[in-house]
Amino acid sequence: DAGVIQSPRHEVTEMGQEVTLRCKPISGHNSLFWYRQTMMRGLELLIYFNNNVPIDDSGMPEDRFSAKMPNASFSTLKIQPSEPRDSAVYFCASHIYTLSGGSSYNEQFFGPGTRLTVL
Amino acid sequence: EDQVTQSPEALRLQEGESSSLNCSYTVSGLRGLFWYRQDPGKGPEFLFTLYSAGEEKEKERLKATLTKKESFLHITAPKPEDSATYLCAVRGYGGSQGNLIFGKGTKLSVKP
């Protein structure tokens, strides 16, 4: 398996532009997470999907941020309009969770991240 | 509110000099404590999951332990390739299923 795939790896854009980040989770995983990492705040959860349904979006900073998961193999995180304070590394992670003795499956697998710079 | 604090923020060791990283946590019912390794420019890589106080897990030169309030990541005779940022995260019963709360990490540098 190729692991979690994210694109683009780097994005430089100007303030006010729309930015779309993409993620392909590991096949068979039923949960998908979007995180943002900065030096100041560390790794923060933005939104979480379970079986393609958004479960918790309380980490999404404001209405400029939106995320979708149209099917089990693809998700997008969109920022419109982008601002310089959105500059960060955005990670996607996927996860398979089972209730029956599934403790060994609770870890999340992270993608390589997208480094976003908003000028 | 679930919270994770890691210390020290940075640690410099000589090759072969053993040490420990600390992860203190407060959580409303621990569902799991996770250790990840993150190399520069890459995503976090899973190392261990611990579920109950007294539990220990080992992988090569790393050993993770857990108490009711903290976890330690012990590094025995480290090598330069162990240099990375080590992240601790917890999942509690109070949060959404699957929601991990991460600490800010300990940046480990091992000099030859």
mmCIF file of all heavy atoms in Angstrom, chain A residues 9 33 35 37 40-43 45 48 50 56 91 95 97 103-104 106-108 110-112, chain B residues 31 34 36 38 41-46 49 51 87 91 96-104:
data_model
loop_
_atom_site.group_PDB
_atom_site.id
_atom_site.type_symbol
_atom_site.label_atom_id
_atom_site.label_comp_id
_atom_site.label_asym_id
_atom_site.label_seq_id
_atom_site.Cartn_x
_atom_site.Cartn_y
_atom_site.Cartn_z
ATOM 1 N N ARG A 9 2.326 18.819 -2.511
ATOM 2 C CA ARG A 9 3.228 18.763 -1.370
ATOM 3 C C ARG A 9 3.581 20.167 -0.893
ATOM 4 O O ARG A 9 3.812 20.386 0.302
ATOM 5 C CB ARG A 9 4.503 18.011 -1.731
ATOM 6 C CG ARG A 9 4.288 16.522 -1.990
ATOM 7 C CD ARG A 9 3.829 15.779 -0.731
ATOM 8 N NE ARG A 9 4.616 16.096 0.428
ATOM 9 C CZ ARG A 9 5.778 15.557 0.727
ATOM 10 N NH1 ARG A 9 6.296 14.635 -0.066
ATOM 11 N NH2 ARG A 9 6.427 15.918 1.828
ATOM 12 N N PHE A 33 -8.838 12.182 8.902
ATOM 13 C CA PHE A 33 -8.613 13.344 9.747
ATOM 14 C C PHE A 33 -7.804 14.384 8.976
ATOM 15 O O PHE A 33 -6.865 14.035 8.261
ATOM 16 C CB PHE A 33 -7.814 12.951 10.998
ATOM 17 C CG PHE A 33 -8.425 11.820 11.779
ATOM 18 C CD1 PHE A 33 -8.237 10.505 11.380
ATOM 19 C CD2 PHE A 33 -9.171 12.067 12.912
ATOM 20 C CE1 PHE A 33 -8.799 9.459 12.099
ATOM 21 C CE2 PHE A 33 -9.729 11.027 13.645
ATOM 22 C CZ PHE A 33 -9.546 9.726 13.235
ATOM 23 N N TYR A 35 -5.406 17.655 9.866
ATOM 24 C CA TYR A 35 -4.698 18.364 10.926
ATOM 25 C C TYR A 35 -3.940 19.548 10.329
ATOM 26 O O TYR A 35 -3.581 19.557 9.153
ATOM 27 C CB TYR A 35 -3.652 17.456 11.599
ATOM 28 C CG TYR A 35 -4.182 16.349 12.465
ATOM 29 C CD1 TYR A 35 -4.456 15.091 11.931
ATOM 30 C CD2 TYR A 35 -4.361 16.531 13.831
ATOM 31 C CE1 TYR A 35 -4.918 14.058 12.738
ATOM 32 C CE2 TYR A 35 -4.809 15.498 14.643
ATOM 33 C CZ TYR A 35 -5.090 14.266 14.090
ATOM 34 O OH TYR A 35 -5.532 13.244 14.889
ATOM 35 N N GLN A 37 -0.410 21.862 11.386
ATOM 36 C CA GLN A 37 0.740 21.920 12.291
ATOM 37 C C GLN A 37 1.483 23.233 12.110
ATOM 38 O O GLN A 37 1.882 23.600 11.007
ATOM 39 C CB GLN A 37 1.695 20.741 12.046
ATOM 40 C CG GLN A 37 2.810 20.635 13.081
ATOM 41 C CD GLN A 37 3.669 19.394 12.894
ATOM 42 O OE1 GLN A 37 4.033 19.024 11.780
ATOM 43 N NE2 GLN A 37 3.988 18.718 13.997
ATOM 44 N N MET A 40 3.882 27.313 16.679
ATOM 45 C CA MET A 40 3.277 27.877 17.886
ATOM 46 C C MET A 40 2.259 26.932 18.530
ATOM 47 O O MET A 40 2.225 26.790 19.750
ATOM 48 C CB MET A 40 2.589 29.206 17.541
ATOM 49 C CG MET A 40 3.537 30.340 17.247
ATOM 50 S SD MET A 40 4.469 30.798 18.717
ATOM 51 C CE MET A 40 3.163 31.457 19.748
ATOM 52 N N ARG A 41 1.439 26.296 17.722
ATOM 53 C CA ARG A 41 0.298 25.555 18.264
ATOM 54 C C ARG A 41 0.447 24.043 18.143
ATOM 55 O O ARG A 41 -0.406 23.294 18.631
ATOM 56 C CB ARG A 41 -0.974 26.019 17.575
ATOM 57 C CG ARG A 41 -1.261 27.514 17.772
ATOM 58 C CD ARG A 41 -2.481 27.936 16.976
ATOM 59 N NE ARG A 41 -3.697 27.320 17.506
ATOM 60 C CZ ARG A 41 -4.446 27.852 18.461
ATOM 61 N NH1 ARG A 41 -4.105 29.002 18.999
ATOM 62 N NH2 ARG A 41 -5.533 27.232 18.878
ATOM 63 N N GLY A 42 1.508 23.605 17.470
ATOM 64 C CA GLY A 42 1.690 22.169 17.312
ATOM 65 C C GLY A 42 0.692 21.585 16.326
ATOM 66 O O GLY A 42 0.239 22.252 15.403
ATOM 67 N N LEU A 43 0.308 20.332 16.551
ATOM 68 C CA LEU A 43 -0.582 19.597 15.661
ATOM 69 C C LEU A 43 -2.005 19.715 16.183
ATOM 70 O O LEU A 43 -2.305 19.287 17.293
ATOM 71 C CB LEU A 43 -0.137 18.139 15.631
ATOM 72 C CG LEU A 43 -0.546 17.251 14.472
ATOM 73 C CD1 LEU A 43 -0.056 17.810 13.151
ATOM 74 C CD2 LEU A 43 0.000 15.856 14.678
ATOM 75 N N LEU A 45 -6.223 19.171 15.369
ATOM 76 C CA LEU A 45 -7.244 18.535 14.549
ATOM 77 C C LEU A 45 -8.206 19.589 14.012
ATOM 78 O O LEU A 45 -8.720 20.405 14.769
ATOM 79 C CB LEU A 45 -8.017 17.510 15.371
ATOM 80 C CG LEU A 45 -9.151 16.795 14.644
ATOM 81 C CD1 LEU A 45 -8.600 15.876 13.563
ATOM 82 C CD2 LEU A 45 -10.000 15.989 15.630
ATOM 83 N N TYR A 48 -12.848 15.720 11.250
ATOM 84 C CA TYR A 48 -12.730 14.275 11.281
ATOM 85 C C TYR A 48 -13.957 13.674 10.604
ATOM 86 O O TYR A 48 -15.094 14.081 10.872
ATOM 87 C CB TYR A 48 -12.592 13.868 12.742
ATOM 88 C CG TYR A 48 -13.060 12.514 13.154
ATOM 89 C CD1 TYR A 48 -12.553 11.367 12.583
ATOM 90 C CD2 TYR A 48 -14.003 12.384 14.171
ATOM 91 C CE1 TYR A 48 -12.971 10.123 13.001
ATOM 92 C CE2 TYR A 48 -14.426 11.144 14.592
ATOM 93 C CZ TYR A 48 -13.905 10.009 14.005
ATOM 94 O OH TYR A 48 -14.332 8.779 14.418
ATOM 95 N N ASN A 50 -15.990 9.984 9.592
ATOM 96 C CA ASN A 50 -16.128 8.564 9.823
ATOM 97 C C ASN A 50 -17.094 8.020 8.775
ATOM 98 O O ASN A 50 -18.233 8.514 8.671
ATOM 99 C CB ASN A 50 -16.646 8.294 11.239
ATOM 100 C CG ASN A 50 -16.491 6.848 11.634
ATOM 101 O OD1 ASN A 50 -15.667 6.116 11.074
ATOM 102 N ND2 ASN A 50 -17.265 6.415 12.604
ATOM 103 N N ASP A 56 -16.809 15.654 13.536
ATOM 104 C CA ASP A 56 -16.413 16.720 14.429
ATOM 105 C C ASP A 56 -15.626 17.756 13.638
ATOM 106 O O ASP A 56 -14.515 17.478 13.205
ATOM 107 C CB ASP A 56 -15.560 16.160 15.574
ATOM 108 C CG ASP A 56 -15.156 17.219 16.587
ATOM 109 O OD1 ASP A 56 -15.545 18.399 16.429
ATOM 110 O OD2 ASP A 56 -14.438 16.879 17.541
ATOM 111 N N PHE A 91 -1.818 18.196 7.398
ATOM 112 C CA PHE A 91 -1.693 16.745 7.298
ATOM 113 C C PHE A 91 -3.066 16.093 7.205
ATOM 114 O O PHE A 91 -4.026 16.528 7.834
ATOM 115 C CB PHE A 91 -0.979 16.171 8.526
ATOM 116 C CG PHE A 91 0.487 16.463 8.588
ATOM 117 C CD1 PHE A 91 0.976 17.441 9.443
ATOM 118 C CD2 PHE A 91 1.382 15.758 7.808
ATOM 119 C CE1 PHE A 91 2.330 17.722 9.513
ATOM 120 C CE2 PHE A 91 2.742 16.029 7.859
ATOM 121 C CZ PHE A 91 3.207 17.011 8.711
ATOM 122 N N HIS A 95 -7.355 5.962 9.367
ATOM 123 C CA HIS A 95 -7.448 5.163 10.576
ATOM 124 C C HIS A 95 -8.527 4.122 10.370
ATOM 125 O O HIS A 95 -9.538 4.386 9.708
ATOM 126 C CB HIS A 95 -7.776 6.154 11.693
ATOM 127 C CG HIS A 95 -8.385 5.639 12.948
ATOM 128 N ND1 HIS A 95 -7.657 5.368 14.073
ATOM 129 C CD2 HIS A 95 -9.674 5.424 13.277
ATOM 130 C CE1 HIS A 95 -8.479 4.992 15.038
ATOM 131 N NE2 HIS A 95 -9.706 5.037 14.591
ATOM 132 N N TYR A 97 -10.877 1.724 12.708
ATOM 133 C CA TYR A 97 -11.269 1.542 14.101
ATOM 134 C C TYR A 97 -12.250 0.393 14.208
ATOM 135 O O TYR A 97 -13.224 0.332 13.480
ATOM 136 C CB TYR A 97 -11.915 2.802 14.655
ATOM 137 C CG TYR A 97 -12.316 2.673 16.102
ATOM 138 C CD1 TYR A 97 -11.372 2.770 17.118
ATOM 139 C CD2 TYR A 97 -13.646 2.421 16.454
ATOM 140 C CE1 TYR A 97 -11.732 2.620 18.443
ATOM 141 C CE2 TYR A 97 -14.008 2.279 17.778
ATOM 142 C CZ TYR A 97 -13.050 2.388 18.770
ATOM 143 O OH TYR A 97 -13.408 2.239 20.080
ATOM 144 N N SER A 103 -7.711 -3.007 19.495
ATOM 145 C CA SER A 103 -6.762 -2.045 20.042
ATOM 146 C C SER A 103 -5.566 -1.857 19.133
ATOM 147 O O SER A 103 -5.011 -0.770 19.042
ATOM 148 C CB SER A 103 -6.299 -2.500 21.428
ATOM 149 O OG SER A 103 -5.682 -3.775 21.349
ATOM 150 N N SER A 104 -5.155 -2.880 18.427
ATOM 151 C CA SER A 104 -3.974 -2.734 17.582
ATOM 152 C C SER A 104 -4.278 -1.932 16.323
ATOM 153 O O SER A 104 -3.360 -1.607 15.580
ATOM 154 C CB SER A 104 -3.432 -4.106 17.195
ATOM 155 O OG SER A 104 -4.411 -4.806 16.435
ATOM 156 N N ASN A 106 -5.942 1.055 16.370
ATOM 157 C CA ASN A 106 -6.371 2.406 16.702
ATOM 158 C C ASN A 106 -5.422 3.504 16.262
ATOM 159 O O ASN A 106 -5.737 4.657 16.387
ATOM 160 C CB ASN A 106 -6.593 2.528 18.203
ATOM 161 C CG ASN A 106 -7.956 2.013 18.610
ATOM 162 O OD1 ASN A 106 -8.796 1.764 17.765
ATOM 163 N ND2 ASN A 106 -8.160 1.859 19.894
ATOM 164 N N GLU A 107 -4.242 3.154 15.768
ATOM 165 C CA GLU A 107 -3.317 4.203 15.389
ATOM 166 C C GLU A 107 -3.757 4.872 14.098
ATOM 167 O O GLU A 107 -4.413 4.290 13.250
ATOM 168 C CB GLU A 107 -1.897 3.658 15.228
ATOM 169 C CG GLU A 107 -1.734 2.592 14.161
ATOM 170 C CD GLU A 107 -1.897 1.185 14.734
ATOM 171 O OE1 GLU A 107 -2.610 1.032 15.739
ATOM 172 O OE2 GLU A 107 -1.313 0.254 14.159
ATOM 173 N N GLN A 108 -3.405 6.145 13.964
ATOM 174 C CA GLN A 108 -3.658 6.904 12.749
ATOM 175 C C GLN A 108 -2.386 6.913 11.905
ATOM 176 O O GLN A 108 -1.287 7.027 12.422
ATOM 177 C CB GLN A 108 -4.071 8.330 13.086
ATOM 178 C CG GLN A 108 -5.401 8.411 13.815
ATOM 179 C CD GLN A 108 -5.795 9.827 14.176
ATOM 180 O OE1 GLN A 108 -5.199 10.787 13.697
ATOM 181 N NE2 GLN A 108 -6.824 9.964 14.996
ATOM 182 N N PHE A 110 -0.394 8.886 8.993
ATOM 183 C CA PHE A 110 -0.333 10.237 8.434
ATOM 184 C C PHE A 110 0.252 10.255 7.034
ATOM 185 O O PHE A 110 1.134 9.456 6.697
ATOM 186 C CB PHE A 110 0.518 11.136 9.330
ATOM 187 C CG PHE A 110 -0.170 11.581 10.580
ATOM 188 C CD1 PHE A 110 -0.328 10.722 11.652
ATOM 189 C CD2 PHE A 110 -0.674 12.874 10.688
ATOM 190 C CE1 PHE A 110 -0.978 11.127 12.807
ATOM 191 C CE2 PHE A 110 -1.316 13.294 11.843
ATOM 192 C CZ PHE A 110 -1.476 12.420 12.898
ATOM 193 N N GLY A 111 -0.222 11.211 6.238
ATOM 194 C CA GLY A 111 0.387 11.487 4.955
ATOM 195 C C GLY A 111 1.606 12.372 5.124
ATOM 196 O O GLY A 111 1.942 12.783 6.231
ATOM 197 N N PRO A 112 2.269 12.705 4.007
ATOM 198 C CA PRO A 112 3.496 13.506 4.069
ATOM 199 C C PRO A 112 3.252 14.984 4.314
ATOM 200 O O PRO A 112 4.183 15.725 4.615
ATOM 201 C CB PRO A 112 4.131 13.277 2.709
ATOM 202 C CG PRO A 112 2.963 13.009 1.815
ATOM 203 C CD PRO A 112 1.974 12.253 2.654
ATOM 204 N N ARG B 31 -8.466 6.385 26.701
ATOM 205 C CA ARG B 31 -8.747 5.306 25.747
ATOM 206 C C ARG B 31 -7.467 4.826 25.083
ATOM 207 O O ARG B 31 -7.449 3.771 24.458
ATOM 208 C CB ARG B 31 -9.734 5.772 24.685
ATOM 209 C CG ARG B 31 -11.082 6.159 25.234
ATOM 210 C CD ARG B 31 -12.026 6.590 24.146
ATOM 211 N NE ARG B 31 -12.406 5.485 23.281
ATOM 212 C CZ ARG B 31 -13.247 5.610 22.262
ATOM 213 N NH1 ARG B 31 -13.767 6.777 21.982
ATOM 214 N NH2 ARG B 31 -13.554 4.563 21.528
ATOM 215 N N PHE B 34 -0.558 7.510 22.685
ATOM 216 C CA PHE B 34 0.151 7.183 21.453
ATOM 217 C C PHE B 34 1.469 7.945 21.386
ATOM 218 O O PHE B 34 1.526 9.123 21.724
ATOM 219 C CB PHE B 34 -0.696 7.562 20.236
ATOM 220 C CG PHE B 34 -2.044 6.896 20.210
ATOM 221 C CD1 PHE B 34 -3.089 7.378 20.973
ATOM 222 C CD2 PHE B 34 -2.272 5.779 19.418
ATOM 223 C CE1 PHE B 34 -4.339 6.762 20.965
ATOM 224 C CE2 PHE B 34 -3.509 5.158 19.399
ATOM 225 C CZ PHE B 34 -4.543 5.652 20.177
ATOM 226 N N TYR B 36 4.431 9.011 18.577
ATOM 227 C CA TYR B 36 4.765 9.119 17.168
ATOM 228 C C TYR B 36 6.159 9.711 17.032
ATOM 229 O O TYR B 36 6.611 10.487 17.891
ATOM 230 C CB TYR B 36 3.794 10.047 16.417
ATOM 231 C CG TYR B 36 2.439 9.454 16.126
ATOM 232 C CD1 TYR B 36 1.441 9.440 17.092
ATOM 233 C CD2 TYR B 36 2.151 8.932 14.869
ATOM 234 C CE1 TYR B 36 0.190 8.913 16.813
ATOM 235 C CE2 TYR B 36 0.899 8.408 14.574
ATOM 236 C CZ TYR B 36 -0.066 8.397 15.556
ATOM 237 O OH TYR B 36 -1.311 7.876 15.268
ATOM 238 N N GLN B 38 8.416 12.053 14.289
ATOM 239 C CA GLN B 38 8.271 12.893 13.112
ATOM 240 C C GLN B 38 9.636 13.386 12.665
ATOM 241 O O GLN B 38 10.331 14.078 13.411
ATOM 242 C CB GLN B 38 7.341 14.084 13.364
ATOM 243 C CG GLN B 38 7.055 14.899 12.114
ATOM 244 C CD GLN B 38 6.027 15.981 12.331
ATOM 245 O OE1 GLN B 38 5.788 16.423 13.441
ATOM 246 N NE2 GLN B 38 5.382 16.417 11.243
ATOM 247 N N GLY B 41 10.032 17.517 7.533
ATOM 248 C CA GLY B 41 9.414 17.452 6.221
ATOM 249 C C GLY B 41 8.544 16.239 5.987
ATOM 250 O O GLY B 41 8.113 15.994 4.850
ATOM 251 N N LYS B 42 8.274 15.476 7.042
ATOM 252 C CA LYS B 42 7.451 14.267 6.896
ATOM 253 C C LYS B 42 6.313 14.263 7.898
ATOM 254 O O LYS B 42 6.285 15.033 8.848
ATOM 255 C CB LYS B 42 8.318 13.020 7.085
ATOM 256 C CG LYS B 42 9.401 12.860 6.028
ATOM 257 C CD LYS B 42 10.092 11.524 6.171
ATOM 258 C CE LYS B 42 11.122 11.334 5.057
ATOM 259 N NZ LYS B 42 11.793 10.013 5.153
ATOM 260 N N GLY B 43 5.358 13.374 7.667
ATOM 261 C CA GLY B 43 4.263 13.222 8.591
ATOM 262 C C GLY B 43 4.662 12.365 9.783
ATOM 263 O O GLY B 43 5.639 11.610 9.722
ATOM 264 N N PRO B 44 3.933 12.483 10.883
ATOM 265 C CA PRO B 44 4.226 11.648 12.056
ATOM 266 C C PRO B 44 4.109 10.166 11.712
ATOM 267 O O PRO B 44 3.215 9.751 10.978
ATOM 268 C CB PRO B 44 3.152 12.074 13.056
ATOM 269 C CG PRO B 44 2.764 13.461 12.657
ATOM 270 C CD PRO B 44 2.866 13.451 11.161
ATOM 271 N N GLU B 45 5.024 9.382 12.278
ATOM 272 C CA GLU B 45 5.061 7.938 12.058
ATOM 273 C C GLU B 45 4.750 7.245 13.375
ATOM 274 O O GLU B 45 5.395 7.489 14.399
ATOM 275 C CB GLU B 45 6.440 7.523 11.551
ATOM 276 C CG GLU B 45 6.627 6.026 11.376
ATOM 277 C CD GLU B 45 8.060 5.666 11.022
ATOM 278 O OE1 GLU B 45 8.831 6.575 10.656
ATOM 279 O OE2 GLU B 45 8.422 4.486 11.125
ATOM 280 N N PHE B 46 3.772 6.359 13.363
ATOM 281 C CA PHE B 46 3.323 5.689 14.572
ATOM 282 C C PHE B 46 4.421 4.814 15.177
ATOM 283 O O PHE B 46 5.118 4.080 14.467
ATOM 284 C CB PHE B 46 2.094 4.836 14.259
ATOM 285 C CG PHE B 46 1.663 3.939 15.380
ATOM 286 C CD1 PHE B 46 1.010 4.461 16.480
ATOM 287 C CD2 PHE B 46 1.938 2.581 15.342
ATOM 288 C CE1 PHE B 46 0.611 3.628 17.522
ATOM 289 C CE2 PHE B 46 1.552 1.751 16.371
ATOM 290 C CZ PHE B 46 0.887 2.278 17.468
ATOM 291 N N THR B 49 1.197 2.306 21.037
ATOM 292 C CA THR B 49 -0.032 2.631 21.742
ATOM 293 C C THR B 49 0.002 1.955 23.104
ATOM 294 O O THR B 49 0.341 0.778 23.202
ATOM 295 C CB THR B 49 -1.283 2.129 20.996
ATOM 296 O OG1 THR B 49 -1.242 2.545 19.642
ATOM 297 C CG2 THR B 49 -2.537 2.674 21.658
ATOM 298 N N TYR B 51 -2.418 1.470 26.720
ATOM 299 C CA TYR B 51 -3.817 1.582 27.098
ATOM 300 C C TYR B 51 -4.061 1.648 28.599
ATOM 301 O O TYR B 51 -5.079 2.198 29.029
ATOM 302 C CB TYR B 51 -4.629 0.426 26.515
ATOM 303 C CG TYR B 51 -4.723 0.467 25.017
ATOM 304 C CD1 TYR B 51 -3.852 -0.270 24.224
ATOM 305 C CD2 TYR B 51 -5.657 1.276 24.386
ATOM 306 C CE1 TYR B 51 -3.925 -0.205 22.844
ATOM 307 C CE2 TYR B 51 -5.731 1.339 23.006
ATOM 308 C CZ TYR B 51 -4.864 0.595 22.251
ATOM 309 O OH TYR B 51 -4.936 0.665 20.881
ATOM 310 N N LEU B 87 6.376 12.859 19.292
ATOM 311 C CA LEU B 87 5.072 13.399 19.668
ATOM 312 C C LEU B 87 4.292 12.399 20.503
ATOM 313 O O LEU B 87 4.305 11.198 20.223
ATOM 314 C CB LEU B 87 4.244 13.728 18.418
ATOM 315 C CG LEU B 87 4.821 14.773 17.463
ATOM 316 C CD1 LEU B 87 4.028 14.802 16.169
ATOM 317 C CD2 LEU B 87 4.809 16.144 18.106
ATOM 318 N N ARG B 91 -6.103 9.859 23.568
ATOM 319 C CA ARG B 91 -7.503 9.796 23.169
ATOM 320 C C ARG B 91 -8.289 9.475 24.427
ATOM 321 O O ARG B 91 -7.991 8.501 25.125
ATOM 322 C CB ARG B 91 -7.740 8.725 22.118
ATOM 323 C CG ARG B 91 -9.215 8.534 21.743
ATOM 324 C CD ARG B 91 -9.373 7.380 20.778
ATOM 325 N NE ARG B 91 -8.766 7.666 19.498
ATOM 326 C CZ ARG B 91 -8.005 6.797 18.842
ATOM 327 N NH1 ARG B 91 -7.739 5.624 19.357
ATOM 328 N NH2 ARG B 91 -7.506 7.116 17.664
ATOM 329 N N SER B 96 -14.542 13.185 20.791
ATOM 330 C CA SER B 96 -15.135 12.436 19.685
ATOM 331 C C SER B 96 -14.326 11.173 19.429
ATOM 332 O O SER B 96 -13.115 11.149 19.581
ATOM 333 C CB SER B 96 -15.153 13.288 18.425
ATOM 334 O OG SER B 96 -15.885 14.470 18.629
ATOM 335 N N GLN B 97 -14.992 10.152 19.008
ATOM 336 C CA GLN B 97 -14.302 8.898 18.711
ATOM 337 C C GLN B 97 -13.180 9.140 17.720
ATOM 338 O O GLN B 97 -13.377 9.737 16.659
ATOM 339 C CB GLN B 97 -15.306 7.917 18.114
ATOM 340 C CG GLN B 97 -14.713 6.562 17.828
ATOM 341 C CD GLN B 97 -15.734 5.615 17.221
ATOM 342 O OE1 GLN B 97 -16.822 6.032 16.882
ATOM 343 N NE2 GLN B 97 -15.384 4.363 17.078
ATOM 344 N N GLY B 98 -11.979 8.701 18.078
ATOM 345 C CA GLY B 98 -10.831 8.843 17.185
ATOM 346 C C GLY B 98 -10.099 10.139 17.330
ATOM 347 O O GLY B 98 -9.040 10.316 16.734
ATOM 348 N N ASN B 99 -10.578 11.083 18.117
ATOM 349 C CA ASN B 99 -9.959 12.391 18.245
ATOM 350 C C ASN B 99 -8.723 12.310 19.130
ATOM 351 O O ASN B 99 -8.803 11.971 20.298
ATOM 352 C CB ASN B 99 -10.971 13.362 18.837
ATOM 353 C CG ASN B 99 -10.484 14.796 18.817
ATOM 354 O OD1 ASN B 99 -9.381 15.074 18.386
ATOM 355 N ND2 ASN B 99 -11.305 15.693 19.303
ATOM 356 N N LEU B 100 -7.562 12.597 18.561
ATOM 357 C CA LEU B 100 -6.316 12.607 19.311
ATOM 358 C C LEU B 100 -5.942 14.033 19.717
ATOM 359 O O LEU B 100 -6.074 14.952 18.915
ATOM 360 C CB LEU B 100 -5.173 12.026 18.479
ATOM 361 C CG LEU B 100 -5.227 10.544 18.137
ATOM 362 C CD1 LEU B 100 -4.017 10.149 17.302
ATOM 363 C CD2 LEU B 100 -5.269 9.704 19.402
ATOM 364 N N ILE B 101 -5.477 14.187 20.959
ATOM 365 C CA ILE B 101 -4.938 15.455 21.427
ATOM 366 C C ILE B 101 -3.420 15.297 21.495
ATOM 367 O O ILE B 101 -2.926 14.446 22.246
ATOM 368 C CB ILE B 101 -5.485 15.837 22.804
ATOM 369 C CG1 ILE B 101 -7.017 15.810 22.813
ATOM 370 C CG2 ILE B 101 -4.948 17.193 23.239
ATOM 371 C CD1 ILE B 101 -7.651 16.795 21.866
ATOM 372 N N PHE B 102 -2.691 16.094 20.743
ATOM 373 C CA PHE B 102 -1.243 15.981 20.659
ATOM 374 C C PHE B 102 -0.534 16.981 21.558
ATOM 375 O O PHE B 102 -1.003 18.117 21.748
ATOM 376 C CB PHE B 102 -0.775 16.237 19.222
ATOM 377 C CG PHE B 102 -0.920 15.060 18.304
ATOM 378 C CD1 PHE B 102 -2.110 14.821 17.647
ATOM 379 C CD2 PHE B 102 0.136 14.186 18.105
ATOM 380 C CE1 PHE B 102 -2.256 13.732 16.798
ATOM 381 C CE2 PHE B 102 0.008 13.090 17.261
ATOM 382 C CZ PHE B 102 -1.189 12.864 16.616
ATOM 383 N N GLY B 103 0.620 16.561 22.083
ATOM 384 C CA GLY B 103 1.542 17.488 22.699
ATOM 385 C C GLY B 103 2.357 18.178 21.624
ATOM 386 O O GLY B 103 2.252 17.838 20.434
ATOM 387 N N LYS B 104 3.187 19.141 22.022
ATOM 388 C CA LYS B 104 3.963 19.890 21.046
ATOM 389 C C LYS B 104 5.257 19.188 20.659
ATOM 390 O O LYS B 104 5.961 19.644 19.761
ATOM 391 C CB LYS B 104 4.237 21.304 21.556
ATOM 392 C CG LYS B 104 2.970 22.145 21.633
ATOM 393 C CD LYS B 104 3.279 23.586 21.969
ATOM 394 C CE LYS B 104 1.992 24.407 21.963
ATOM 395 N NZ LYS B 104 2.241 25.839 22.259
#
